Amino acid sequence: VQVLVFSLYTSDIEQLLGLPVALLVTFHIEEKFGFNKHTFGSFAGDTVKGFLVNQVVSGLLNIGMLWTIMWAGPNAWFYLWVFITIFALIMNTLYPIVFAPLFNKFTPLEDGKLKDGIDELIEQTGLDCKNAFMVDGSKQSSHSNAYVAGFFCSKRIVIYDTLVKDLNDDIDMIKAVVGHEI
């Protein structure tokens, strides 16, 4: 309980201290250059969701580490290494299917030139990934991006809708960005 309370207390302070900077970046700097698409409501919603997800994940991590130390005693360093490695693998596997959808909507790429191009790129690179998604990143920002996330069955390629729009559906240019991410 003490570890969880301490973790909550320190993350509350971190959140409060970081909030003015996040607001400045989002509503002044990003706005100034035309990137911000957040409203105060959507920003607050994402901030609260992010905080709650962080509390759950860090709580599980802290409890797991504490239990490992109490159980392993002098050999805790080795078992902590094993625990943290397994924890990281699990979180990286869960991120694209559990956590990312809390903030954005992911839709599988529709059949067509873009999907065919991405499938061709996957085959060329040898990436073991059959899942390619479009994310509605435009609801938060006009930045263009793509990424590859996940492990095992959750591995996926994610392309921001803004990337497709900004590159005018140029499949070769989109493939270049996705190839960089792979």
Side-chain angles (χ1 to χ4, degrees):
V1 172
Q2 288 175 325
V3 170
L4 292 177
V5 169
F6 179 76
S7 177
L8 178 63
Y9 177 72
T10 56
S11 60
D12 283 347
I13 292 171
E14 181 182 346
Q15 187 76 30
L16 287 173
L17 292 176
L19 189 58
V21 174
L23 287 166
L24 176 71
V25 168
T26 302
F27 292 105
H28 179 67
I29 296 171
E30 294 283 315
E31 189 78 33
K32 179 179 177 180
F33 292 100
F35 293 120
N36 179 41
K37 301 296 180 197
H38 267 298
T39 63
F40 281 109
S42 67
F43 177 84
D46 281 355
T47 301
V48 169
K49 282 188 279 188
F51 179 78
L52 294 173
V53 167
N54 184 44
Q55 291 309 304
V56 170
V57 172
S58 64
L60 292 171
L61 178 63
N62 287 332
I63 288 171
M65 289 190 312
L66 186 60
W67 180 83
T68 301
I69 290 168
M70 292 183 333
W71 170 78
N75 296 318
W77 67 270
F78 174 76
Y79 292 105
L80 278 171
W81 173 75
V82 171
F83 171 75
I84 291 170
T85 301
I86 292 169
F87 189 84
L89 283 171
I90 291 170
M91 288 299 118
N92 279 294
T93 302
L94 292 177
Y95 171 78
I97 57 177
V98 175
F99 300 115
L102 295 172
F103 300 92
N104 292 94
K105 182 178 178 187
F106 294 80
T107 53
L109 287 182
E110 295 178 8
D111 289 337
K113 290 181 183 180
L114 179 59
K115 184 172 181 348
D116 293 343
I118 298 302
D119 288 344
E120 178 184 309
L121 184 62
I122 290 169
E123 189 174 316
Q124 287 174 345
T125 60
L127 180 67
D128 180 27
C129 178
K130 302 296 181 225
N131 300 313
F133 292 86
M134 182 82 64
V135 64
D136 64 342
S138 60
K139 76 177 194 176
Q140 295 142 330
S141 172
S142 61
H143 285 289
S144 298
N145 204 359
Y147 65 89
V148 178
F151 281 119
F152 313 118
C153 61
S154 73
K155 198 179 311 173
R156 58 185 54 194
I157 293 171
V158 177
I159 301 170
Y160 280 58
D161 56 352
T162 51
L163 181 69
V164 175
K165 179 181 168 250
D166 289 348
L167 296 181
N168 298 317
D169 292 311
D170 185 324
I171 305 303
D172 289 332
M173 290 181 71
I174 295 169
K175 282 173 54 177
V177 173
V178 173
H180 164 78
E181 297 302 325
I182 290 173

